[in-house]
Coordinates of all heavy atoms in Angstrom, one line a residue:
A1210 N -34.7 -82.7 47.8 CA -35.4 -84.0 47.7 C -35.4 -84.7 49.1 O -36.4 -85.3 49.5 CB -34.8 -84.9 46.7
Q1211 N -34.3 -84.6 49.8 CA -34.2 -85.2 51.1 C -35.1 -84.5 52.2 O -35.6 -85.1 53.1 CB -32.8 -85.2 51.6 CG -31.9 -86.1 50.8 CD -30.4 -86.0 51.2 OE1 -30.1 -85.3 52.2 NE2 -29.5 -86.6 50.4
L1212 N -35.3 -83.2 52.0 CA -36.1 -82.4 53.0 C -37.5 -82.2 52.5 O -38.3 -81.5 53.2 CB -35.4 -81.0 53.2 CG -34.0 -81.1 53.9 CD1 -33.4 -79.7 54.1 CD2 -34.0 -81.8 55.2
Y1213 N -37.8 -82.7 51.3 CA -39.1 -82.5 50.7 C -39.6 -81.1 50.6 O -40.7 -80.7 51.0 CB -40.2 -83.3 51.6 CG -39.9 -84.8 51.7 CD1 -39.3 -85.3 52.9 CD2 -40.1 -85.7 50.7 CE1 -39.0 -86.6 53.0 CE2 -39.8 -87.0 50.8 CZ -39.3 -87.5 52.0 OH -38.9 -88.8 52.1
V1214 N -38.6 -80.3 50.1 CA -38.9 -78.8 49.9 C -38.4 -78.5 48.5 O -37.7 -79.3 47.8 CB -38.2 -77.9 50.9 CG1 -38.8 -78.2 52.3 CG2 -36.7 -78.1 50.9
S1215 N -38.7 -77.3 48.0 CA -38.3 -76.9 46.7 C -36.8 -76.4 46.7 O -36.3 -76.1 47.8 CB -39.2 -75.7 46.2 OG -39.0 -74.6 47.0
E1216 N -36.2 -76.4 45.5 CA -34.8 -75.9 45.4 C -34.7 -74.5 45.8 O -33.7 -74.0 46.4 CB -34.3 -76.1 44.0 CG -33.9 -77.6 43.7 CD -33.2 -77.7 42.4 OE1 -32.1 -77.0 42.2 OE2 -33.6 -78.5 41.5
A1217 N -35.8 -73.7 45.5 CA -35.8 -72.3 45.9 C -35.7 -72.1 47.4 O -35.0 -71.2 47.9 CB -37.1 -71.6 45.4
T1218 N -36.3 -73.0 48.1 CA -36.3 -72.9 49.6 C -34.9 -73.2 50.1 O -34.3 -72.6 51.0 CB -37.3 -73.9 50.2 OG1 -38.6 -73.5 49.8 CG2 -37.2 -73.8 51.7
I1219 N -34.3 -74.2 49.5 CA -32.9 -74.6 49.8 C -31.9 -73.5 49.5 O -31.0 -73.2 50.3 CB -32.5 -75.9 49.1 CG1 -33.4 -77.1 49.5 CG2 -31.0 -76.2 49.3 CD1 -33.3 -77.4 51.0
K1220 N -32.1 -72.8 48.4 CA -31.2 -71.7 48.0 C -31.4 -70.6 49.0 O -30.4 -69.9 49.4 CB -31.6 -71.2 46.6 CG -31.2 -72.1 45.5 CD -31.5 -71.6 44.1 CE -31.1 -72.5 43.0 NZ -31.5 -72.0 41.7
K1221 N -32.6 -70.4 49.5 CA -32.8 -69.3 50.5 C -32.1 -69.7 51.8 O -31.4 -68.8 52.5 CB -34.3 -69.2 50.8 CG -34.7 -68.1 51.8 CD -34.2 -66.7 51.3 CE -34.6 -65.6 52.3 NZ -34.2 -64.3 51.9
H1222 N -32.2 -70.9 52.2 CA -31.4 -71.4 53.4 C -29.9 -71.2 53.2 O -29.2 -70.8 54.2 CB -31.7 -72.9 53.7 CG -33.1 -73.1 54.3 ND1 -33.6 -72.4 55.3 CD2 -34.0 -74.1 54.0 CE1 -34.8 -72.8 55.6 NE2 -35.1 -73.8 54.8
I1223 N -29.4 -71.6 52.1 CA -28.0 -71.5 51.8 C -27.5 -70.0 51.8 O -26.5 -69.7 52.4 CB -27.7 -72.1 50.4 CG1 -27.9 -73.6 50.4 CG2 -26.2 -71.8 50.0 CD1 -27.7 -74.3 49.1
Q1224 N -28.3 -69.1 51.3 CA -28.0 -67.7 51.4 C -27.9 -67.2 52.8 O -27.0 -66.5 53.2 CB -29.1 -66.9 50.6 CG -29.0 -67.0 49.1 CD -30.1 -66.2 48.4 OE1 -31.0 -65.6 49.1 NE2 -30.2 -66.3 47.1
N1225 N -28.8 -67.7 53.7 CA -28.8 -67.3 55.1 C -27.5 -67.9 55.8 O -26.9 -67.2 56.6 CB -30.0 -67.9 55.8 CG -31.3 -67.1 55.4 OD1 -31.2 -66.0 54.9 ND2 -32.4 -67.8 55.5
I1226 N -27.2 -69.1 55.4 CA -26.0 -69.8 56.0 C -24.7 -69.0 55.6 O -23.8 -68.7 56.4 CB -25.9 -71.2 55.5 CG1 -27.0 -72.1 56.1 CG2 -24.5 -71.8 55.9 CD1 -27.2 -73.4 55.5
Y1227 N -24.6 -68.6 54.3 CA -23.4 -67.9 53.8 C -23.3 -66.6 54.5 O -22.2 -66.1 54.9 CB -23.5 -67.7 52.3 CG -23.3 -68.9 51.4 CD1 -23.6 -68.9 50.1 CD2 -22.8 -70.1 52.0 CE1 -23.4 -70.0 49.3 CE2 -22.6 -71.2 51.2 CZ -22.9 -71.2 49.9 OH -22.7 -72.3 49.1
Q1228 N -24.5 -65.9 54.7 CA -24.5 -64.6 55.3 C -24.0 -64.7 56.8 O -23.2 -63.9 57.2 CB -25.9 -64.0 55.3 CG -26.0 -62.6 55.9 CD -27.4 -62.0 55.7 OE1 -28.3 -62.7 55.3 NE2 -27.5 -60.8 56.1
K1229 N -24.4 -65.7 57.5 CA -24.0 -65.9 58.9 C -22.6 -66.3 59.0 O -21.9 -65.9 60.0 CB -24.9 -66.9 59.6 CG -26.4 -66.5 59.7 CD -27.3 -67.5 60.3 CE -28.7 -67.0 60.5 NZ -29.6 -68.0 61.1
F1230 N -22.1 -67.0 58.1 CA -20.7 -67.5 58.1 C -19.7 -66.4 57.4 O -18.5 -66.6 57.5 CB -20.5 -68.8 57.4 CG -20.6 -70.0 58.3 CD1 -21.9 -70.5 58.6 CD2 -19.5 -70.6 58.8 CE1 -22.0 -71.6 59.5 CE2 -19.7 -71.7 59.7 CZ -20.9 -72.2 60.0
G1231 N -20.3 -65.5 56.8 CA -19.5 -64.5 56.1 C -18.8 -65.1 54.8 O -17.7 -64.7 54.4
A1232 N -19.5 -66.0 54.2 CA -19.0 -66.7 53.0 C -19.7 -66.2 51.8 O -20.8 -65.6 51.8 CB -19.2 -68.2 53.2
T1233 N -19.1 -66.5 50.6 CA -19.7 -66.1 49.3 C -20.2 -67.3 48.5 O -21.0 -67.1 47.6 CB -18.7 -65.3 48.5 OG1 -17.5 -66.0 48.4 CG2 -18.4 -63.9 49.2

């Protein structure tokens, strides 16, 4: 809501963040 994008887009960003940090 804050970024005016869909939740699916946010989930994609989160997956990328987890991957770069080596988190699950």
Side-chain angles (χ1 to χ4, degrees):
Q1211 291 174 11
L1212 297 180
Y1213 302 102
V1214 295
S1215 65
E1216 283 190 56
T1218 301
I1219 295 300
K1220 288 180 181 179
K1221 181 62 177 177
H1222 287 314
I1223 292 175
Q1224 288 176 359
N1225 291 337
I1226 293 169
Y1227 288 168
Q1228 184 177 6
K1229 291 177 180 180
F1230 269 83
T1233 55

